[in-house]
Amino acid sequence: MVSHGFVLPTRGVVLSADDSLEQAARVQSEVIGLARRAEALGFDGVWAGDSVLAKPRLEPLSTLAAVAGATESVTLGTAVYLPQLRNPVHVAHQTATVDQVSGGRLALGVGVGVGEGVENEHDQLDVPYEQRGALLDEGLEILAGLWDDEPVSVDGEFFELTDADIGIRPCGSPPPVFVASATFDPRDGFPPRIRDRIADRGDGWLPIGMSSEMYEGGIERAREIVDDAGRDAAGFDAAYYQDVVIAETEAEAIDQARDFLDRYYPSWGELSDDDIKRRGAFGPPSVVADHLERYADAGVERFVTRFTAPDQREQLQRFADIVG
C-alpha cells in the first residue's frame, strides 16, 4: 500500500515573516497547524528539511518534537537531515529524545547536501566539505552504537569516544534510516559511498528528481545491495521525495513552482520548465494522479511531497482529494 507524507514549510515560515513575533505566529499556523491538518486528511507522515546557514529554516528535530505533541500517529521524518554538521553524540541524544517523546515515530532521511551554499555552510561550521560523506558514515556508525544498549568506544578518523552512553534509547526499534541520493546510473549503479551506506545503514532509499524508469532500476539495485549485505531486503523501504503543485493548467503550476524555487534557492539562477518538471508533478489533478500511479508502478511505497506553491493548506487539501 502506498503512503503519503507532507514536507512541512520550515523554510517558508522564515522567508515569509518580517519579525520574530510574526514568525512565531506562522510557526503555529503553518507548521504545527499544517501538521495537524495533514494527519486529519490521512497523510501518514510529516517531514522537515535541514539547513543551518545555507538555507535558514527551523531546526528539524526540535520542530518534530513540537509536532509530536500536536499529533497522534503520523511518522515524524527528516527530509533530509545533515548529521555531519553536528557531533554524532548530540545527534544520538536528540534523535533518541524525539523518538521517546513521540512514542517511536521518528524516521531519519539523511544526506550530505550539495551546492555552493552548502559548501560555504560547511566551511563556516568548520566541517570539511570534501569529507562530508566520510563524516556522515562514521557518524551513522556512532549513532547506531549509542542507540544500542552498550556504552560505545570509538577510535575513528574523526571522533574518539570511550565508554560513551547517552543514557536513553529510542522507543522500541531504532528509527529507520533513509539514504537520500540524487544519482543512480542504470549502467554503473550507485556511487560507491552511497552503495556502502545503503549496505551498512540503510533501512530505505529516498531519492529525488528521477524518472520512474530510473527509480525502478534504483530500488531493485538497492534491495540487491541490502540482500548481499545479509540484511532483510523485503523490509527495505522504497520512498521518493517529490515537488508537487496542483493548478488548473500545467503552465500555472510551473509558474508557481518557479517563483517558489527562486526564493528558496536564489543561487540556482533561472530554471527552465524541464528543470522544474524533473522534480515532480505540476498541473491539474489528473496530471498529478497519473504521475503518482506511474511512480507507484515503478515501486514507490512512500511518497514524501513538498508543495512548491504559496498556499500550502490548499495544496494539502487538493492532494488529499486526489489520493483519497
Side-chain angles (χ1 to χ4, degrees):
M1 181 177 177
V2 174
S3 65
H4 293 279
F6 164 54
V7 178
L8 297 165
T10 57
R11 177 152 165 76
V13 297
V14 173
L15 290 172
S16 60
D18 291 330
D19 56 47
S20 61
L21 290 178
E22 182 183 358
Q23 196 170 95
R26 288 184 178 274
V27 168
Q28 290 300 313
S29 65
E30 297 178 22
V31 177
I32 307 300
L34 282 172
R36 290 195 193 99
R37 182 61 178 156
E39 184 173 60
L41 288 171
F43 286 75
D44 90 316
V46 293
W47 298 71
D50 184 26
S51 180
V52 180
L53 298 172
K55 297 178 287 292
R57 65 180 70 227
L58 303 181
E59 195 283 320
L61 292 177
S62 50
T63 299
L64 293 175
V67 170
T71 56
E72 295 181 359
S73 61
V74 287
T75 295
L76 307 171
T78 58
V80 297
Y81 190 54
L82 309 177
Q84 76 278 4
L85 296 179
R86 292 96 170 168
N87 186 292
V89 177
H90 291 310
V91 173
H93 195 196
Q94 288 178 289
T95 52
T97 298
V98 175
D99 202 60
Q100 284 275 356
V101 301
S102 67
R105 291 190 275 149
L106 182 64
L108 278 183
V110 299
V112 296
V114 293
E116 180 181 348
V118 174
E119 183 172 356
N120 183 54
E121 176 178 55
H122 281 69
D123 289 344
Q124 293 199 66
L125 294 172
D126 200 26
V127 176
Y129 179 76
E130 297 300 330
Q131 294 178 288
R132 65 198 189 283
L135 269 163
L136 170 59
D137 292 331
E138 187 169 313
L140 289 176
E141 182 179 357
I142 292 170
L143 185 65
L146 290 170
W147 281 348
D148 209 348
D149 291 333
E150 300 296 326
V152 173
S153 295
V154 173
D155 183 11
E157 182 179 358
F158 305 103
F159 303 102
E160 293 185 12
L161 299 173
T162 302
D163 293 333
D165 190 341
I166 57 174
I168 60 172
R169 305 290 179 259
C171 182
S173 301
V177 173
F178 290 79
V179 176
S181 72
T183 56
F184 172 74
D185 188 313
R187 294 170 300 178
D188 300 329
F190 292 101
R193 191 168 289 283
I194 296 291
R195 182 193 62 218
D196 293 346
R197 194 171 297 145
I198 289 171
D200 296 340
R201 300 295 170 198
D203 300 301
W205 185 38
L206 183 61
I208 185 173
M210 291 187 173
S211 68
S212 56
E213 295 79 11
M214 186 179 295
Y215 186 92
E216 185 171 14
I219 190 61
E220 180 179 345
R221 180 65 188 122
R223 285 179 169 147
E224 289 174 357
I225 291 169
V226 172
D227 186 65
D228 290 345
R231 300 194 294 116
D232 178 19
F236 187 81
D237 203 320
Y240 185 64
Y241 188 112
Q242 62 184 0
D243 289 345
V244 168
V245 179
I246 305 164
E248 301 313 307
T249 66
E250 181 183 81
E252 181 186 346
I254 289 175
D255 283 346
Q256 289 189 48
R258 181 177 288 107
D259 289 344
F260 181 101
L261 294 169
D262 282 348
R263 295 183 68 221
Y264 251 65
Y265 309 109
S267 66
W268 281 11
E270 186 174 350
L271 296 171
S272 70
D273 288 4
D274 287 341
D275 290 334
I276 293 170
K277 287 192 285 187
R278 275 193 287 271
R279 300 183 62 84
F282 306 90
S286 60
V287 169
V288 175
D290 288 347
H291 165 92
L292 295 173
E293 182 177 359
R294 187 167 67 254
Y295 277 80
D297 288 345
V300 176
E301 299 168 339
R302 184 191 300 265
F303 287 100
V304 177
T305 300
R306 179 177 68 167
F307 299 116
T308 49
D311 193 333
Q312 297 284 301
R313 192 170 295 271
E314 178 193 40
Q315 292 292 314
L316 259 180
Q317 182 63 62
R318 298 189 74 173
F319 191 88
D321 291 342
I322 293 170
V323 301

